[in-house]
């Protein structure tokens, strides 16, 4: 997961309570969330949802609350529904949502599971880990099994790209300028603007040398 700095300006259609999913709301959320689903971190998902962090259950105050609206993909919203209402909040600056849930990418394209490990007993971490487990690894329906496999393949592709630049950095025949370029490209992959960045950052934290080199840059 990744932290988000949400703007204070409420989109006009939301302030007027006309709609919580008009273009101005979607665009504002898209910008704040780096065009990424706040749960699975897929960038520019084909099916965009304006998701209620706390299910509104026909409560208009929750339905039109700017701070209760999140940028999500349709798949994650469909898995979350109204069942998970006590999650880690990526928009809360007091919560380091990245470090609360350890995420490691699949080692092969066809891996059936990836690592989801909560790092504390905080009830919000427990519930968030349960939801992410379902998002990344659940096979409770045929559709979720197929789309989950596709999601893990996309995460693995990003992991392969990370390894490509890691190999370049450590290669004996790499020039200093090539090593510098490799590190800069890894920094891009670990930035919140890149999809699946949490997986890349946890790979760095789990490595003694990389943690010393890039760990201080992780936020």
């Amino acid at each position: 997961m990744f932290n988000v700095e949400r703007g204070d300006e409420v989109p006009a259609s939301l302030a007027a309570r006309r709609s919580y999913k008009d273009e101005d709301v979607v665009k504002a959320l898209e910008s704040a969330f780096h065009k990424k689903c706040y749960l699975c971190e897929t960038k520019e998902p084909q099916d965009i949802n304006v998701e209620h962090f706390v299910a509104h259950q026909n409560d208009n105050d929750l339905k039109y609350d700017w701070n209760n609206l999140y940028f999500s993909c349709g798949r994650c919203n469909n898995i979350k529904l109204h069942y998970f209402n006590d999650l880690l909040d990526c928009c809360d600056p007091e919560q380091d949502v990245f470090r609360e849930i350890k995420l490691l990418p699949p080692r092969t394209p066809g891996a059936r599971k990836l690592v989801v490990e909560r790092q504390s007993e905080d009830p919000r971490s427990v519930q968030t880990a349960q939801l992410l487990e379902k998002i990344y690894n659940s096979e409770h329906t045929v559709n979720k099994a197929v789309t989950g496999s596709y999601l893990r393949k996309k995460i693995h592709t990003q992991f392969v790209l990370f390894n490509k630049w890691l190999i370049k950095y450590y290669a004996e025949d790499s020039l200093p300028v090539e090593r510098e370029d490799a590190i800069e490209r890894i920094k891009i992959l670990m930035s919140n603007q890149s999809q699946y960045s949490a997986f890349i950052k946890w790979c760095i934290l789990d490595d003694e040398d990389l943690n010393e080199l890039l760990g201080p840059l992780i936020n």
Side-chain angles (χ1 to χ4, degrees):
M1 297 183 73
F2 60 101
N3 281 96
V4 172
E5 293 184 15
R6 179 196 297 271
D8 294 328
E9 184 177 352
V10 179
S13 61
L14 190 64
R17 293 198 170 193
R18 290 195 304 270
S19 172
Y20 64 80
K21 51 187 177 182
D22 273 359
E23 183 178 5
D24 59 336
V25 179
V26 174
K27 291 295 185 183
L29 290 173
E30 182 182 62
S31 176
F33 286 78
H34 312 299
K35 300 183 179 181
K36 298 198 305 185
C37 171
Y38 82 102
L39 291 169
C40 73
E41 285 201 73
T42 295
K43 192 162 189 175
E44 298 182 340
Q46 292 182 332
D47 184 12
I48 296 171
N49 280 195
V50 174
E51 198 262 319
H52 290 86
F53 189 69
V54 177
H56 63 77
Q57 301 289 334
N58 294 318
D59 180 333
N60 281 340
D61 289 335
L62 286 174
K63 182 184 290 187
Y64 298 106
D65 182 357
W66 170 235
N67 293 309
N68 194 39
L69 302 182
Y70 286 61
F71 191 79
S72 170
C73 70
R75 181 177 184 274
C76 285
N77 195 16
N78 179 261
I79 293 174
K80 178 179 179 283
L81 294 175
H82 61 280
Y83 302 115
F84 297 89
N85 285 309
D86 190 25
L87 299 174
L88 293 169
D89 185 357
C90 64
C91 291
D92 183 349
E94 300 299 318
Q95 296 182 34
D96 188 348
V97 296
F98 161 68
R99 284 182 169 79
E100 281 293 316
I101 307 292
K102 183 176 184 176
L103 297 169
L104 292 178
R107 295 183 178 180
T108 60
R112 297 175 66 93
K113 298 282 184 179
L114 54 76
V115 172
V116 178
E117 291 181 356
R118 57 184 169 81
Q119 302 298 295
S120 77
E121 297 298 324
D122 186 321
R124 295 168 299 184
S125 295
V126 172
Q127 189 170 116
T128 303
Q130 291 172 347
L131 175 57
L132 293 179
E133 180 71 32
K134 290 176 70 68
I135 287 170
Y136 291 122
N137 297 327
S138 178
E139 297 181 343
H140 64 285
T141 69
V142 173
N143 177 269
K144 293 299 183 295
V146 171
T147 55
S149 175
Y150 179 61
L151 175 59
R152 291 191 296 274
K153 283 182 172 68
K154 290 183 68 177
I155 296 169
H156 180 263
T157 297
Q158 202 75 348
F159 178 56
V160 169
L161 187 57
F162 166 67
N163 275 316
K164 170 187 173 181
W165 297 115
L166 205 58
I167 290 170
K168 175 62 70 175
Y169 176 75
Y170 283 116
E172 291 184 1
D173 62 344
S174 287
L175 299 171
V177 66
E178 292 177 311
R179 290 195 175 93
E180 290 177 11
D181 180 63
I183 288 298
E184 291 305 311
R185 291 179 184 274
I186 290 172
K187 288 178 182 178
I188 291 173
L189 296 177
M190 59 187 271
S191 72
N192 286 341
Q193 287 74 28
S194 294
Q195 64 178 350
Y196 316 127
S197 57
F199 293 91
I200 304 303
K201 288 190 284 189
W202 272 108
C203 286
I204 290 168
L205 291 183
D206 262 10
D207 184 278
E208 183 176 355
D209 294 332
L210 292 177
N211 186 29
E212 182 176 347
L213 179 66
L214 295 169
L217 302 179
I218 291 177
N219 53 37

